[in-house]
Amino acid sequence: MRKEFDNIFKWEKLDFFKAFLGTLLFCIGLNIFIVPNNLYNGGVLGLSEIIRTLINDIFNIHTHFDYSGIINFILNIPLFILAYFKIGKTFFARSIYCVFLQTIFLSIIPIPETLIVEELITSVLLGGLIAGLGSGLTLSSAASGGGTDIIGIMLTQKNRNLSVGKVGFTFNVVLYITSGLLYGYQIMLYSIIYAFIESVVIEKAHDQNVCLTAIIFTKHKPIGIRNYIRNELDRGCTFWEATGGYSGKKSYITYLVCSRHELQKLERNLRDLDNSAFLVKKEGVGVDGNFKKNLYL
């Protein structure tokens, strides 16, 4: 069973927990601080919330049960199918896991009958901080909340000038203009402020797109390290023979460029690959040319 799980998700225990905790925090921030103020999240979930509100208004439904998560899951089904065939089975499995958790948490976390915080801007700030932290944790575990992430990754694969962020931003512009036309400019403006705060926190919490160079020194040919980098991180590397300045003995240097998340994964396994290896890293390097965006491992 454990082997089957690893083959499907390709997750370590820490990443699995981070995806769970991140999704939970995101839903807490949304249901406790954003939904009670009739504001909207971005992406496909935000579209689901607008559909929920329209249903409530048309049929005069009043409930503290938020079924927008169920609508979100239904809207994601065709995107899951695209993810399976166009992106990969691992990404498909992780997306279903996270969107399923979203559906459960949004359904069971009660929406307060009275506002916990009276000031709207304070609720927006708290909701953005908590939801952004949760989304950042989920993304840093190489998982996805589905929706525009799936669309963005597919478009990014076809057009190198696009990014997941640009696709999501364009979708949200249309979404928030729609919410403004339906429910007033104040709803639109505060939803945009919430989305901005959330995105800033996500950028701080999510380190997937920070590029680093890593230089690994070993006493033996780094065959195991090279194979791990190629097979597990889906990266290339270069290694060459060197001479130790102190010992005068033969050594080897392995050089690669990767994201911070990929390097963290390598660091956790480096001792098992070669217990004599040590690593030097440098963050924030600029990378041009044929550098593959491994958005999800």
Side-chain angles (χ1 to χ4, degrees):
M1 181 67 70
R2 172 64 186 276
K3 186 177 180 181
E4 188 71 19
F5 177 87
D6 290 341
N7 289 336
I8 294 174
F9 289 96
K10 295 183 180 177
W11 252 335
E12 297 181 8
K13 290 181 179 179
L14 178 61
D15 290 326
F16 187 85
F17 175 74
K18 283 165 67 176
F20 180 91
L21 178 61
T23 305
L24 175 60
L25 286 174
F26 170 77
C27 294
I28 289 174
L30 205 59
N31 270 16
I32 301 300
F33 296 103
I34 302 305
V35 174
N37 286 289
N38 299 313
L39 303 180
Y40 297 98
N41 193 69
V44 174
L45 179 57
L47 176 61
S48 303
E49 291 172 334
I50 290 179
I51 293 173
R52 172 211 62 205
T53 305
L54 286 171
I55 292 173
N56 289 347
D57 291 344
I58 293 171
F59 297 100
N60 196 28
I61 298 173
H62 300 284
T63 176
H64 296 291
F65 168 72
D66 188 359
Y67 55 90
S68 63
I70 298 173
I71 298 173
N72 180 57
F73 192 91
I74 294 172
L75 293 179
N76 268 282
I77 290 175
L79 299 178
F80 290 151
I81 296 171
L82 288 173
Y84 183 86
F85 289 105
K86 299 294 185 180
I87 302 178
K89 295 179 181 179
T90 299
F91 178 77
F92 163 78
R94 292 176 180 179
S95 296
I96 286 185
Y97 169 73
C98 290
V99 176
F100 177 76
L101 285 179
Q102 275 188 9
T103 304
I104 298 298
F105 291 147
L106 289 174
S107 300
I108 65 175
I109 296 173
I111 300 171
E113 295 185 17
T114 57
L115 296 176
I116 294 178
V117 180
E118 292 293 334
E119 296 84 1
L120 180 55
I121 190 63
T122 304
S123 291
V124 169
L125 177 61
L126 290 172
L129 287 172
I130 297 172
L133 176 60
S135 295
L137 279 174
T138 302
L139 289 170
S140 67
S141 67
S144 160
T148 53
D149 286 348
I150 297 175
I151 299 171
I153 289 172
M154 288 191 298
L155 292 177
T156 300
Q157 290 175 338
K158 293 183 177 181
N159 188 336
R160 296 179 64 86
N161 293 322
L162 291 176
S163 68
V164 177
K166 289 178 181 178
V167 173
F169 175 79
T170 303
F171 184 92
N172 288 341
V173 167
V174 177
L175 180 75
Y176 287 133
I177 289 175
T178 302
S179 70
L181 292 173
L182 289 172
Y183 303 111
Y185 73 93
Q186 184 173 355
I187 295 293
M188 178 184 70
L189 291 177
Y190 278 101
S191 294
I192 291 173
I193 293 172
Y194 155 72
F196 175 76
I197 295 170
E198 182 191 21
S199 66
V200 170
V201 178
I202 287 174
E203 287 298 318
K204 296 296 183 181
H206 177 217
D207 50 28
Q208 182 89 353
N209 294 318
V210 177
C211 291
L212 305 94
T213 56
I215 304 173
I216 305 168
F217 297 85
T218 56
K219 295 179 181 179
H220 310 287
K221 280 190 176 182
I223 303 301
I225 295 174
R226 183 197 65 184
N227 291 339
Y228 181 86
I229 292 171
R230 182 175 59 192
N231 298 328
E232 298 298 325
L233 303 184
D234 193 21
R235 290 289 181 198
C237 63
T238 301
F239 74 92
W240 60 90
E241 186 178 310
T243 302
Y246 178 77
S247 64
K249 295 181 180 180
K250 185 185 297 185
S251 63
Y252 296 88
I253 300 173
T254 303
Y255 180 89
L256 75 149
V257 179
C258 59
S259 72
R260 186 184 293 165
H261 176 77
E262 292 165 343
L263 183 60
Q264 289 171 347
K265 191 172 182 180
L266 174 61
E267 287 176 313
R268 289 196 295 266
N269 292 278
L270 185 59
R271 189 62 58 191
D272 295 330
L273 296 169
D274 188 332
N275 60 13
S276 67
F278 74 93
L279 181 148
V280 178
K281 57 189 176 183
K282 182 179 179 180
E283 291 190 6
V285 296
V287 181
D288 294 318
N290 189 27
F291 181 73
K292 183 178 180 182
K293 289 184 178 180
N294 286 341
L295 295 176
Y296 295 94
L297 293 175

